[in-house]
Amino acid sequence: MSGPVLFTPIDIQGLTLPNRIVVAPMCQYSAIDGQMTDWHLVHLGSMALSGAGLLTIEATSVMPDGRISYADVGLWDEQTENAMHRILDVVRATSDVKVAIQLSHAGRKASCEVPWKGGAQIAPNIPNGWQTVSPSDLPFQPTDHAPMRLDREGMVRIRDAFVASAHRAAKLKIDAVQLHAAHGYLLHQFLSPLSNQRDDSYGGTLKNRMRFPLEVFDAVRAALPHHPLSVRVSGTDWVEDGWDIEQTIAFSKALEARGCDAIHVSSGGVSPRQNISVAPGYQVPLARAVKRETSIPVVTVGLITGFEQAEAIVATGDADMIAIARTILYNPRWPWHAAAHLGGHIKAPNQYLRSQPHIHQNLFKVSSS
């Protein structure tokens, strides 16, 4: 009998992952001036020993004013690069996990308090706050300070910042780069008609709304021609007359034609009016729709907690990989338990081999770390 598909390798632009489990990017709101701290060392160190095939560094801002909060990680100068280098050195010394990074600009959803202090937007005239930018001068919440409408000069500056951060990621020898065009952040703000009400060549029609996100992708692709490069998208805004799955498919096809190596399908985030029927695997149909219309690997995410559930997603071809976030925060050894339940095999550190249960004698592979 063949083993579980979840624990078979997959190749993305020459990057071979040992299984189909991705640790999704999870903001920790624990950086200082964009610089990673010891919290990131402990957090990413734990995730690196989880057994997942790919570990994704949290949404990392390409500019100081692109951070969701003042405590977000950045990669825009030598200081932020050096701080990340320190963390990655330790991760690599203790694990051979492949590492990706998600590059982002929060746009009008920037300048916010950390979640455990309420997460509300901080006005520009208050400490830890700054002026946000967006395709249009429409705030996310009616009570938010209105963003500044981006002009062409500002758009070029942001595009070039994505490129510069991508270069820094390559310099750090990060295995893969992902552009964040989901969850209501800047690139998604350009895509959605709810947040983009421009009347120039960057607004209105689908082609125009896709123009700036594709310009950013093209610039990063040119800067990293042989590096695995993916994009995270929101499959729908969950709001009538907003961004939807048909537009997502069109955007995904355009990305594939330009050399995108994978699409990570999430949803929502651009409007507080979103109406989501949350249930286990509720975003899988969005990934399935993109996979049917493209030929590059597709990642799905969202309330994937069960072992059989995860295996069914990849075994039936709904997606090529599953990404988990809260699930693996709650249970950092979820991939181990999934392998044990499904009859798969997983690499564990040599120091942990003695923990293999007697009833799962062939669970662990010996690590080369």
Side-chain angles (χ1 to χ4, degrees):
M1 181 183 295
S2 60
V5 177
L6 192 62
F7 291 93
T8 57
I10 186 169
D11 183 89
I12 302 175
Q13 178 73 344
L15 177 66
T16 300
L17 306 178
N19 59 55
R20 310 301 183 91
I21 302 170
V22 177
V23 177
M26 293 176 279
C27 291
Q28 299 297 294
Y29 305 101
S30 299
I32 298 174
D33 296 328
Q35 299 170 41
M36 283 187 165
T37 63
D38 286 346
W39 175 261
H40 296 93
L41 179 61
V42 173
H43 167 66
L44 291 175
S46 173
M47 296 295 101
L49 298 179
S50 68
L54 183 67
L55 167 61
T56 314
I57 295 171
E58 64 191 81
T60 301
S61 184
V62 299
M63 305 171 74
D65 64 0
R67 292 173 293 172
I68 303 165
S69 80
Y70 55 86
D72 277 23
V73 169
L75 187 57
W76 61 69
D77 60 12
E78 287 189 12
Q79 288 72 36
T80 52
E81 181 183 330
N82 290 339
M84 191 173 290
H85 191 284
R86 178 179 77 93
I87 305 302
L88 288 172
D89 275 354
V90 176
V91 168
R92 289 170 177 147
T94 54
S95 172
D96 59 1
V97 68
K98 303 301 182 184
V99 178
I101 188 170
Q102 184 185 71
L103 299 181
S104 180
H105 190 296
R108 70 179 186 176
K109 293 181 75 175
S111 186
C112 291
E113 185 54 89
V114 297
W116 51 86
K117 293 184 179 180
Q121 189 178 72
I122 302 173
N125 61 338
I126 296 177
N128 292 325
W130 58 87
Q131 176 63 54
T132 63
V133 298
S134 192
S136 303
D137 59 356
L138 303 170
F140 176 68
Q141 297 273 10
T143 54
D144 289 348
H145 187 85
M148 182 178 68
R149 181 184 183 276
L150 279 166
D151 58 16
R152 182 57 187 160
E153 181 181 352
M155 292 162 64
V156 169
R157 185 167 60 250
I158 291 170
R159 180 201 66 195
D160 292 348
F162 270 96
V163 171
S165 293
H167 278 302
R168 291 185 185 277
K171 183 179 175 184
L172 289 167
K173 295 181 169 56
I174 291 172
D175 297 293
V177 171
Q178 181 178 96
L179 303 183
H180 200 352
H183 298 174
Y185 299 127
L186 184 66
L187 298 184
H188 184 188
Q189 289 163 31
F190 270 91
L191 292 170
S192 175
L194 301 178
S195 48
N196 182 350
Q197 296 185 11
R198 300 172 73 99
D199 57 5
D200 62 3
S201 61
Y202 290 93
T205 67
L206 174 60
K207 180 179 179 180
N208 284 355
R209 285 182 280 115
M210 293 195 307
R211 191 183 306 276
F212 181 63
L214 290 176
E215 284 181 359
V216 172
F217 177 85
D218 288 343
V220 175
R221 178 78 286 175
L224 303 178
H226 307 297
H227 214 82
L229 179 61
S230 69
V231 178
R232 192 174 198 180
V233 299
S234 278
T236 176
D237 288 340
W238 300 105
V239 178
E240 188 176 359
D241 297 324
W243 183 256
D244 56 26
I245 189 59
E246 288 75 21
Q247 294 173 89
T248 300
I249 290 169
F251 183 50
S252 299
K253 287 182 174 180
L255 288 168
E256 180 179 14
R258 285 165 164 78
C260 185
D261 298 308
I263 300 287
H264 185 148
V265 184
S266 187
S267 70
V270 85
S271 171
R273 296 188 290 117
Q274 64 187 24
N275 184 16
I276 308 175
S277 298
V278 177
Y282 70 102
Q283 295 176 149
V284 172
L286 302 171
R288 182 192 306 130
V290 172
K291 183 164 173 57
R292 284 175 177 169
E293 299 293 333
T294 60
S295 59
I296 54 178
V298 172
V299 187
T300 189
V301 67
L303 277 183
I304 299 171
T305 59
F307 309 139
E308 299 284 356
Q309 174 196 19
E311 171 64 11
I313 289 169
V314 294
T316 60
D318 282 344
D320 299 283
M321 292 173 279
I322 60 104
I324 50 178
R326 293 172 178 86
T327 296
I328 204 164
L329 281 184
Y330 187 74
N331 180 3
R333 298 290 181 267
W334 189 93
W336 290 19
H337 299 302
H341 179 83
L342 296 169
H345 306 286
I346 198 160
K347 185 174 288 186
N350 296 333
Q351 296 90 333
Y352 288 0
L353 293 178
R354 288 178 296 171
S355 72
Q356 179 174 261
H358 288 294
I359 60 172
H360 300 295
Q361 287 297 309
N362 298 314
L363 173 62
F364 287 157
K365 299 176 182 178
V366 177
S367 173
S368 59
S369 299

